Amino acid sequence: MVSGHIFLCRKNSWPAEEYVGRTALQLLDFDGGAPPEQAWRRRLNSHANILKEFSVTFMEAMRMMSLGLRLWSYVREEASHGRKAPIDPFTKERCKPSASQGVPLGGMGSGSISRGFRGEFKNWHIIPGLCESSPVMENQFSIFVSRDGGNKKYSSVLAPGHHEGLKKNSDSGISSWDWNLSGQHSTYHALFPRAWTVYDGEPDPDLKISCRQISPFIPHDYKDSSLPTSVFVYTLVNTGRDRAKVSLLMTWANSIGGFSHNSGGHYNEPFIAEDGVSGVLLHHKTAKDNPPVTFAVAAHETQNVNVTVLPVFDLSGENHVSAKEMWNTMLQNGHFDRENFSSGSSMSSSPGQKLCAAVSASTWVEPHGRCTVAFALAWSSPKVKFQKGCTYNRRYAQFYGTSEKSAVNLVHDALTKYKLWEEEIEKWQNPILKDERLPEWYKFTLFNELYFLVAGGTVWTDGQPPAIDEKNSPGSNQQKSSKRGTKDTKQGSVKDSHVNLTVEQVPHGSYMTNGDDRSVSKFAAVHGSQMQEQINGLKSEEPIPYLISKDGPEHVGKFLYLEGVEYIMWNTYDKSKVKGAVPHDLGTHDPWHEMNAYNIHDTSKWKDLNPKFVLQIYRDFAATGDMQFGRDVWPAVCAAMDYMDQFDRDGDGLIENDGFPDQTYDAWTVHGISAYCGCLWLAALQAAATMAHRLGDRHFAEKYKLKFIKAKAVYEAKLWNGSYFNYDSGTSSNSRSIQADQLAGQWYTASSGLPPLFDEHKIRTALQKIFEFNVMKVKGGRMGAVNGMTPKGKVDETCMQSREIWTGVTYAVAANMLLHGMEHQGFTTAEGIFIAGWSEEGYGYWFQTPEGWTTDGHYRSLVYMRPLAIWAIQYAVSPPKAILEAPKVNLMDRIHISPHMARAISEISIRKIAPDNRCFPSSAFNCEC
């Protein structure tokens, strides 16, 4: 836990006044229009440099040649079936990644759209596993201002005009629009899940504008946090002497990125809903038999704001009003014809034609007056289909049904509820933002790294069985489509009212019966496992997928996330589906049913995987104090621990590595006893013994404690060299390297309130060595912690991964330092990731934090899951109540080893478990492969 004197490293960095004039900030401090004190900031005219990807050295390429050939063969095989391989280093994106990202839109698991800090909408991740990174430039906000009876006019797209793809303004497309914003006086301020763009006198010198982007990402609200919608609230302040007519315009293309419009068959239609919400629906027919997507673009009409629409325009003007004609209408009138609301559905688009829609909101702003205008966007694709045929309902279908027109209800609720969302967001964030102990950069980076839970390809289902497309299903001759928990709604008119969905169309959690109020097993919620076996008298019942929300126990469905947008594997856990080992991942093309998309190595022989699984279970068990959760997952813990016996070759209680990269560092070979894997194993033994004791399983408590005692002595004797633990016990050139992750097991241990694995002096000495060598000897600590460092202070060049800086590992090392009272070292270590990844002097990895980068800043694997480990720092700063208030008793001391157990353990030969690729039923790892 962090002490009170950490304020010494607090910095008042990134003040808003350095980006926006103080007067503008004061004027916009109305209805939430002013950006917060703590936020990540950029000027809109900042250069968005192209990011530099890592490359392997010649020697690394030679060593990995056989791996490369295997990958190449696998990529081609998947392509022959019309599928994308989960790891494909050979195919490069058409749009090169750049330092231009910003806060993404929407809630979790609903399909995401990212928005760059300069305003472009891109990184379309609506179809699972597929990401279209190119921006759709027709999607813009624009402004038209008329003063002095129309004698003074200003108009511009509210984004800088130096975007790729804009042609000369002589055509009839979007290049003919006014791209007059320089961005010199406009700034972006990000504090996930919100963002502010402030236009300080651009394009009208006498108009201050703030656009506030709000998405429903709300702790303990498992309904609204699943919604595919965002709100854009414009705050307008007129500092001039003239009354100003201001028209804001939102344009949107019927596209889900890339060339998705080329398929044709798309159409638009206007709608008027309840409470003054009106706009346009854009019905998008996806390719390759994927479920359709319906966009709703809307604005909120009030007494002071008039909303009109142009349901359809295109770029050429051949069949519809052209983009240029649409713009000219807004220049001349500041609005569209009211009759457009009765125009009905447009004709379906032909292949290659891109249909667009426009929504205008107009208002008068008096001299020195203020006004608020709100827009909303929703993208409804309630069915999510995976490439091998299974189709699920997304989480929000439980509340909004599966009609294509549920998008109307989504934008309606967004526009009428966003203020409540903001109240809950501020209630969640303010205690951290106002904590004077914490560095300024850390506060907003902590929240901004959560972007991954939206933009990381997440999928959140309603938990019901899938519908199976028999023609694509591997077992199509036997399997039949499952019944759905949510029925389809019939298409109806949305012209004149809010879309009403019946009770039958929107089930409301009839899953709970008999007043059952047990809290959820997280393991069950994620893996859907059925643990019905009885182990040592502890019968575990089938877990119920509930979590405690603000309204009590709630059915929460199932949740998927990608390892990264370049590593398309769901819920990577780094394991195998051999009996006794948890899957590496839940698959790519048919998650939950066809697991282990990772095929670079045989992960059933990895040594860090089962221990991490056990440690994560114990961490949650300790943090929640949930005994039912413990009973639910205890059989899985026993299976995972027993599986590891085969890797203790000499019976000393400690597992050994096998001379290949048998760990999550899958390019970094280990020989003998590993500091990283061995430390995780020690921690898992202690956690399992303690958990067994708390659950009343005396046999396993004694067994694991005895192994722990034996293994600890061996580990320290073979690896401790007086200042740190050697990389491994082998005799290779890097066996004495300093690994940043060597105390990963101790990090889990301290986070869970368990006694330290080693003497405190040894722990702090090793962490200090990592700080002095792995952190401070790389660019003065401004890059993070390099994975490997030689005792001579040179970066370990053994392999690609030894010379990399891993963002998540650095955050974890920093958390470990904080847990052991090394506050200066901890925050300095973590700040290296901020400086290299998020600061203006860094490499441009904001809102796309990669797995790692080299010491010259070249990235590997953007938009990666591990940087979420920054929350381990907050966990160290403010531990859960259950851990803080737990009795300060070493439960290991209460586990008494009987002479019979000690004799039995010493006499039992080490059991070898042969790899078995079959899934095993009636177990913690039930699957349907």
Side-chain angles (χ1 to χ4, degrees):
M1 185 175 176
V2 174
S3 62
H5 59 76
I6 198 166
F7 68 90
L8 293 173
C9 66
R10 179 178 181 270
K11 294 190 297 187
N12 286 312
S13 55
W14 301 70
E17 291 85 355
E18 291 186 8
Y19 292 79
V20 184
R22 187 179 298 273
T23 301
L25 288 173
Q26 292 172 347
L27 292 170
L28 290 170
D29 191 15
F30 161 72
D31 195 28
E37 291 183 16
Q38 290 95 10
W40 179 89
R41 313 185 200 276
R42 276 295 178 277
R43 289 180 173 82
L44 263 61
N45 66 344
S46 298
H47 176 62
N49 58 287
I50 299 297
L51 305 181
K52 296 181 179 179
E53 191 172 8
F54 86 106
S55 58
V56 297
T57 65
F58 176 78
M59 291 304 298
E60 289 168 350
M62 292 296 100
R63 286 193 292 267
M64 293 191 291
M65 181 158 304
S66 61
L67 168 62
L69 291 173
R70 289 205 314 273
L71 267 179
W72 171 251
S73 175
Y74 180 58
V75 168
R76 293 191 60 173
E77 179 186 354
E78 288 294 285
S80 69
H81 296 289
R83 300 190 296 260
K84 181 176 174 62
I87 302 176
D88 181 4
F90 311 105
T91 305
K92 300 302 179 183
E93 293 289 338
R94 294 188 302 270
C95 178
K96 293 183 178 180
S98 64
S100 60
Q101 294 291 359
V103 174
L105 310 179
M108 295 187 292
S110 59
S112 68
I113 305 168
S114 291
R115 192 179 185 214
F117 72 86
R118 296 184 300 187
E120 65 273 27
F121 294 87
K122 56 186 181 179
N123 284 30
W124 302 76
H125 221 143
I126 295 176
I127 296 175
L130 298 177
C131 181
E132 279 289 351
S133 56
S134 301
V136 175
M137 295 305 296
E138 292 82 5
N139 299 346
Q140 299 290 346
F141 286 100
S142 303
I143 192 167
F144 303 83
V145 184
S146 177
R147 295 178 181 270
D148 190 22
N151 292 324
K152 190 187 294 183
K153 289 189 174 184
Y154 304 91
S155 60
S156 181
V157 177
L158 288 174
H162 45 83
H163 285 280
E164 295 181 9
L166 290 180
K167 303 174 183 178
K168 296 179 180 179
N169 62 5
S170 58
D171 67 12
S172 59
I174 64 171
S175 299
S176 64
W177 298 353
D178 297 327
W179 298 81
N180 295 329
L181 198 80
S182 71
Q184 182 179 357
H185 302 292
S186 301
T187 52
Y188 182 82
H189 312 256
L191 184 63
F192 180 89
R194 296 188 292 173
W196 292 253
T197 306
V198 176
Y199 307 89
D200 191 357
E202 286 191 277
D204 181 347
D206 293 326
L207 190 66
K208 310 294 184 185
I209 310 167
S210 169
C211 174
R212 188 164 84 259
Q213 173 186 313
I214 308 151
S215 292
F217 188 96
I218 305 161
H220 310 299
D221 185 338
Y222 303 123
K223 176 186 175 183
D224 287 357
S225 294
S226 72
L227 303 184
T229 185
S230 284
V231 180
F232 306 87
V233 182
Y234 279 85
T235 302
L236 309 171
V237 180
N238 184 3
T239 61
R241 299 178 181 178
D242 303 320
R243 188 182 187 215
K245 181 182 179 182
V246 180
S247 297
L248 289 161
L249 177 71
M250 185 177 185
T251 51
W252 199 260
N254 197 327
S255 168
I256 57 172
F259 300 102
S260 60
H261 61 281
N262 284 345
S263 59
H266 319 304
Y267 67 98
N268 301 350
E269 62 173 319
F271 70 87
I272 298 177
E274 296 175 351
D275 303 314
V277 174
S278 57
V280 181
L281 285 176
L282 298 89
H283 300 276
H284 186 84
K285 180 182 178 182
T286 58
K288 298 183 179 179
D289 200 30
N290 283 304
V293 181
T294 302
F295 294 101
V297 183
H300 198 184
E301 185 162 274
T302 66
Q303 185 177 357
N304 300 317
V305 178
N306 179 49
V307 177
T308 57
V309 301
L310 182 62
V312 61
F313 69 90
D314 65 20
L315 305 184
S316 65
E318 292 179 4
N319 300 312
H320 302 282
V321 172
S322 71
K324 184 175 184 178
E325 291 169 333
M326 180 278 298
W327 189 266
N328 288 338
T329 297
M330 288 299 298
L331 276 176
Q332 182 176 350
N333 303 326
H335 60 84
F336 301 112
D337 290 338
R338 191 76 186 178
E339 290 75 17
N340 288 345
F341 279 113
S342 58
S343 62
S345 300
S346 70
M347 293 181 60
S348 296
S349 64
S350 56
Q353 181 185 23
K354 184 180 285 189
L355 300 185
C356 303
V359 176
S360 168
S362 305
T363 186
W364 286 94
V365 187
E366 300 297 329
H368 307 292
R370 300 172 178 178
C371 186
T372 298
V373 178
F375 291 85
L377 169 71
W379 52 102
S380 179
S381 185
K383 293 183 180 294
V384 55
K385 180 181 178 181
F386 294 95
Q387 290 193 21
K388 288 196 174 178
C390 284
T391 300
Y392 298 83
N393 285 346
R394 293 190 192 266
R395 163 87 172 147
Y396 63 85
Q398 184 175 340
F399 313 105
Y400 288 84
T402 57
S403 166
E404 294 180 15
K405 301 193 177 180
S406 62
V408 174
N409 291 0
L410 285 163
V411 287
H412 170 272
D413 291 353
L415 285 168
T416 55
K417 293 177 65 176
Y418 74 85
K419 291 185 179 179
L420 295 176
W421 293 346
E422 290 192 285
E423 288 177 8
E424 293 299 315
I425 291 168
E426 290 172 3
K427 189 185 303 182
W428 161 48
Q429 293 183 336
N430 281 343
I432 294 173
L433 297 176
K434 294 179 180 179
D435 190 339
E436 293 294 321
R437 300 174 301 163
L438 303 174
E440 208 80 2
W441 65 266
Y442 165 78
K443 296 177 185 179
F444 56 80
T445 307
L446 179 72
F447 292 110
N448 284 339
E449 287 284 19
L450 290 173
Y451 84 93
F452 182 86
L453 293 176
V454 172
T458 55
V459 174
W460 195 351
T461 76
D462 64 0
Q464 297 301 310
I468 300 172
D469 184 346
E470 295 186 358
K471 65 182 180 181
N472 290 329
S473 173
S476 59
N477 58 335
Q478 297 177 353
Q479 291 181 302
K480 301 297 181 184
S481 296
S482 302
K483 292 183 179 180
R484 299 302 320 209
T486 304
K487 299 179 181 178
D488 288 354
T489 60
K490 295 181 179 179
Q491 277 194 315
S493 173
V494 293
K495 178 178 176 181
D496 53 1
S497 67
H498 190 282
V499 177
N500 295 312
L501 302 175
T502 67
V503 174
E504 288 76 15
Q505 294 164 338
V506 188
H508 279 287
S510 57
Y511 307 92
M512 292 194 65
T513 58
N514 302 323
D516 192 340
D517 62 352
R518 291 180 298 167
S519 57
V520 72
S521 157
K522 292 183 183 178
F523 180 85
V526 173
H527 295 280
S529 56
Q530 298 181 3
M531 295 179 283
Q532 300 173 339
E533 58 188 293
Q534 184 168 342
I535 295 185
N536 301 315
L538 292 174
K539 181 173 176 60
S540 78
E541 302 176 19
E542 179 180 351
I544 298 176
Y546 294 96
L547 285 178
I548 302 300
S549 72
K550 62 181 182 179
D551 299 318
E554 182 177 349
H555 183 282
V556 293
K558 294 182 179 181
F559 193 81
L560 294 172
Y561 63 88
L562 290 178
E563 178 172 335
V565 296
E566 298 175 34
Y567 297 162
I568 309 171
M569 296 169 284
W570 302 105
N571 290 25
T572 294
Y573 200 83
D574 293 340
K575 309 223 185 300
S576 163
K577 67 178 179 182
V578 170
K579 182 176 181 179
V582 180
H584 169 278
D585 54 79
L586 293 186
T588 292
H589 305 310
D590 192 7
W592 294 298
H593 298 278
E594 186 177 288
M595 296 182 283
N596 277 342
Y598 179 95
N599 64 354
I600 294 177
H601 296 294
D602 179 1
T603 55
S604 67
K605 298 177 181 178
W606 282 13
K607 310 305 187 294
D608 58 338
L609 311 177
N610 283 32
K612 287 193 292 189
F613 170 67
V614 171
L615 289 167
Q616 288 181 21
I617 283 178
Y618 186 81
R619 176 199 61 196
D620 290 358
F621 178 62
T624 62
D626 187 344
M627 297 300 290
Q628 182 60 49
F629 167 70
R631 286 188 286 270
D632 285 345
V633 299
W634 179 241
V637 171
C638 294
M641 293 298 292
D642 287 348
Y643 180 80
M644 297 302 292
D645 283 345
Q646 64 180 305
F647 302 123
D648 179 8
R649 317 287 186 195
D650 52 12
D652 61 2
L654 193 62
I655 59 174
E656 289 89 34
N657 292 76
D658 290 324
F660 74 99
D662 50 355
Q663 47 166 342
T664 197
Y665 298 89
D666 55 0
W668 199 357
T669 298
V670 192
H671 300 274
I673 297 170
S674 156
Y676 165 67
C677 297
C679 189
L680 287 168
W681 176 238
L682 290 180
L685 286 169
Q686 179 174 243
T690 304
M691 190 172 181
H693 177 75
R694 292 183 63 182
L695 294 174
D697 190 335
R698 179 178 174 182
H699 172 80
F700 274 89
E702 292 183 23
K703 174 183 175 181
Y704 296 145
K705 178 177 179 179
L706 185 60
K707 284 190 174 185
F708 171 77
I709 293 171
K710 293 171 62 179
K712 177 183 175 183
V714 175
Y715 182 90
E716 293 191 82
K718 293 195 174 182
L719 295 181
W720 180 250
N721 63 21
S723 58
Y724 63 95
F725 294 97
N726 289 336
Y727 175 71
D728 63 30
S729 62
T731 57
S732 65
S733 59
N734 70 320
S735 288
R736 286 183 56 84
S737 285
I738 308 161
Q739 186 178 10
D741 217 3
Q742 62 184 266
L743 289 176
Q746 176 55 36
W747 167 49
Y748 278 104
T749 294
S751 298
S752 303
L754 289 167
L757 299 176
F758 317 108
D759 293 340
E760 188 66 24
H761 171 71
K762 286 184 178 179
I763 296 170
R764 289 176 61 95
T765 299
L767 289 173
Q768 184 63 30
K769 189 74 172 184
I770 293 167
F771 178 71
E772 292 175 356
F773 277 64
N774 300 61
V775 178
M776 298 308 294
K777 289 187 181 294
V778 180
K779 305 287 179 68
R782 303 175 72 80
M783 295 284 290
V786 69
N787 284 335
M789 182 67 77
T790 69
K792 295 182 179 180
K794 302 293 184 183
V795 172
D796 186 339
E797 301 281 352
T798 301
C799 68
M800 173 184 73
Q801 291 171 338
S802 64
R803 61 184 174 90
E804 286 181 326
I805 294 156
W806 283 12
T807 51
V809 168
T810 297
Y811 283 144
V813 170
N816 207 0
M817 292 171 174
L818 290 167
L819 287 164
H820 293 281
M822 302 172 67
E823 294 151 6
H824 167 71
Q825 294 92 327
F827 276 108
T828 300
T829 297
E831 189 176 14
I833 300 300
F834 168 76
I835 293 171
W838 289 81
S839 74
E840 286 190 274
E841 63 185 87
Y843 299 101
Y845 297 131
W846 46 82
F847 299 104
Q848 53 187 332
T849 319
E851 177 179 18
W853 48 68
T854 59
T855 54
D856 55 3
H858 295 189
Y859 74 89
R860 182 166 64 81
S861 188
L862 293 171
V863 191
Y864 198 79
M865 63 171 180
R866 275 200 185 102
L868 288 170
I870 191 174
W871 279 85
I873 296 177
Q874 191 61 26
Y875 196 94
V877 170
S878 301
K881 184 178 180 180
I883 289 180
L884 280 176
E885 297 181 355
K888 305 304 178 186
V889 177
N890 186 344
L891 293 181
M892 290 287 280
D893 292 341
R894 296 190 174 186
I895 303 172
H896 301 290
I897 302 175
S898 65
H900 172 75
M901 173 61 75
R903 193 164 50 249
I905 291 292
S906 64
E907 292 174 356
I908 292 176
S909 59
I910 304 304
R911 177 164 53 95
K912 310 281 186 180
I913 301 180
D916 184 351
N917 288 321
R918 295 170 297 172
C919 295
F920 57 118
S922 301
S923 72
F925 310 105
N926 186 41
C927 83
E928 303 171 11
C929 298

